[in-house]
């Protein structure tokens, strides 16, 4: 399973990269706004800075919602760095844009996926990744992980190569559950990834090992 971090914060991206298990970064317009990144030049510079930190894929989302706008923005983003994956919303012109990009060899991440039908359309259009939002479905009492499982099954049935990127991950159990049902990738906050480290028996066990070692060394 690939681990992506869902943030535009450079310090957090560096920290995740330093951990040694980071496979990529996803951003969205809200995350860019949270960092105060506005204006085309600043946005492009920021994406380039992210690409310089990470080794894997960096999803950069288009703002336009018409086919022409998405193509123009997506082509500029893709030219910025070979790590860029153009993130396109699941709307009619978005599907057309994904088809266009896939024929041009530009990689895409189809975002705002909330149903298996949407995921099927994105795969047919040639998306590199689909991003079903697990946490946002859970927020409205709908089983987000069940959607991941449904999409994984459909893609396996037909051999689609589109990768299932479980997005809107909120906590470590989401990561485990998405791994169990076969998600190819997960994206979430660094806190969800580092929470995987924790187990009280690990802490108790380590404290005992070190105490025993200290006792024996003192003899
Ligand atoms: C997907 O790529 C989105 O950036 C993201 O995962 C949304 O997560 P949220 O629901 O926590 O905002």
């Amino acid at each position: 399973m690939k681990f992506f971090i869902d943030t535009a914060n450079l310090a957090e991206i560096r920290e995740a990269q330093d951990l040694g298990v980071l496979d990529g970064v996803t951003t969205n317009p809200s995350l860019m706004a949270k960092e105060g990144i506005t204006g085309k030049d600043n946005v492009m510079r920021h994406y380039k800075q992210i690409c310089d930190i990470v080794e894997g894929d960096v999803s950069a989302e288009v703002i336009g919602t018409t086919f022409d706008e998405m193509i123009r923005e997506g082509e500029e983003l893709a030219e910025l760095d070979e790590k860029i994956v153009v993130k396109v919303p699941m709307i009619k012109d978005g599907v057309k844009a994904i088809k266009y990009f896939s024929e041009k060899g530009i990689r895409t991440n189809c975002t705002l996926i909330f149903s298996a039908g949407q995921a099927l359309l994105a795969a047919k259009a040639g998306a590199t990744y689909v991003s079903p939002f697990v946490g946002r479905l859970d927020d409205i009492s709908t089983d987000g992980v069940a959607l991941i499982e449904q999409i994984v099954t459909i893609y396996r049935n037909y051999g689609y190569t589109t990768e299932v990127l479980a997005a809107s991950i909120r906590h470590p159990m989401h990561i485990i559950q998405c791994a169990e049902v076969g998600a190819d990738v997960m994206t979430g906050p660094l806190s969800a990834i580092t929470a995987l480290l924790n187990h009280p028996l690990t802490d108790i066990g380590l404290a005992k090992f070190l105490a025993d070692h200290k006792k024996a060394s003192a003899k």
Side-chain angles (χ1 to χ4, degrees):
M1 189 190 213
K2 287 192 255 182
F3 279 12
F4 288 179
I5 187 175
D6 197 29
T7 183
N9 182 284
L10 298 180
E12 209 172 53
I13 294 168
R14 273 190 208 98
E15 194 183 335
Q17 178 66 28
D18 283 351
L19 193 59
V21 297
L22 189 68
D23 299 299
V25 172
T26 52
T27 61
N28 64 40
S30 303
L31 293 170
M32 292 291 277
K34 196 173 158 198
E35 298 307 314
I37 316 295
T38 54
K40 190 179 165 194
D41 289 352
N42 290 334
V43 166
M44 296 303 250
R45 197 173 312 119
H46 198 77
Y47 284 137
K48 188 66 188 157
Q49 283 178 296
I50 295 175
C51 290
D52 289 343
I53 298 170
V54 298
E55 276 159 30
D57 293 346
V58 175
S59 285
E61 188 161 341
V62 296
I63 303 294
T65 51
T66 66
F67 176 79
D68 289 341
E69 287 166 344
M70 285 187 262
I71 296 308
R72 196 181 59 245
E73 273 184 68
E75 286 182 336
E76 282 182 37
L77 287 166
E79 263 181 34
L80 195 61
D81 195 290
E82 59 182 14
K83 292 172 191 166
I84 293 283
V85 175
V86 180
K87 206 170 176 188
V88 177
M90 171 36 77
I91 53 177
K92 198 191 228 178
D93 276 23
V95 173
K96 290 186 200 170
I98 289 168
K99 179 74 180 168
Y100 172 91
F101 287 134
S102 87
E103 283 168 357
K104 291 257 167 187
I106 293 175
R107 295 176 309 139
T108 53
N109 173 354
C110 185
T111 189
L112 293 166
I113 295 281
F114 292 96
S115 77
Q118 291 177 324
L120 186 53
L121 267 179
K124 281 187 70 67
T128 313
Y129 297 101
V130 279
S131 288
F133 281 30
V134 174
R136 290 194 196 182
L137 280 170
D138 285 6
D139 288 345
I140 57 156
S141 308
T142 303
D143 191 342
V145 175
L147 175 62
I148 299 294
E149 188 169 21
Q150 201 181 8
I151 297 170
V152 167
T153 303
I154 290 170
Y155 284 6
R156 282 192 188 144
N157 284 347
Y158 295 98
Y160 287 118
T161 54
T162 302
E163 292 190 51
V164 181
L165 195 174
S168 186
I169 290 290
R170 301 274 164 80
H171 50 71
M173 280 314 292
H174 269 158
I175 302 178
I176 303 298
Q177 289 162 348
C178 288
E180 279 178 338
V181 299
D184 300 288
V185 193
M186 76 96 216
T187 193
L190 180 58
S191 59
I193 298 174
T194 53
L196 294 172
L197 281 166
N198 303 332
H199 198 287
L201 290 179
T202 304
D203 300 337
I204 293 166
L206 181 60
K208 174 101 172 64
F209 286 157
L210 296 180
D212 288 347
H213 172 76
K214 198 171 168 189
K215 230 184 291 168
S217 308
K219 279 182 190 161

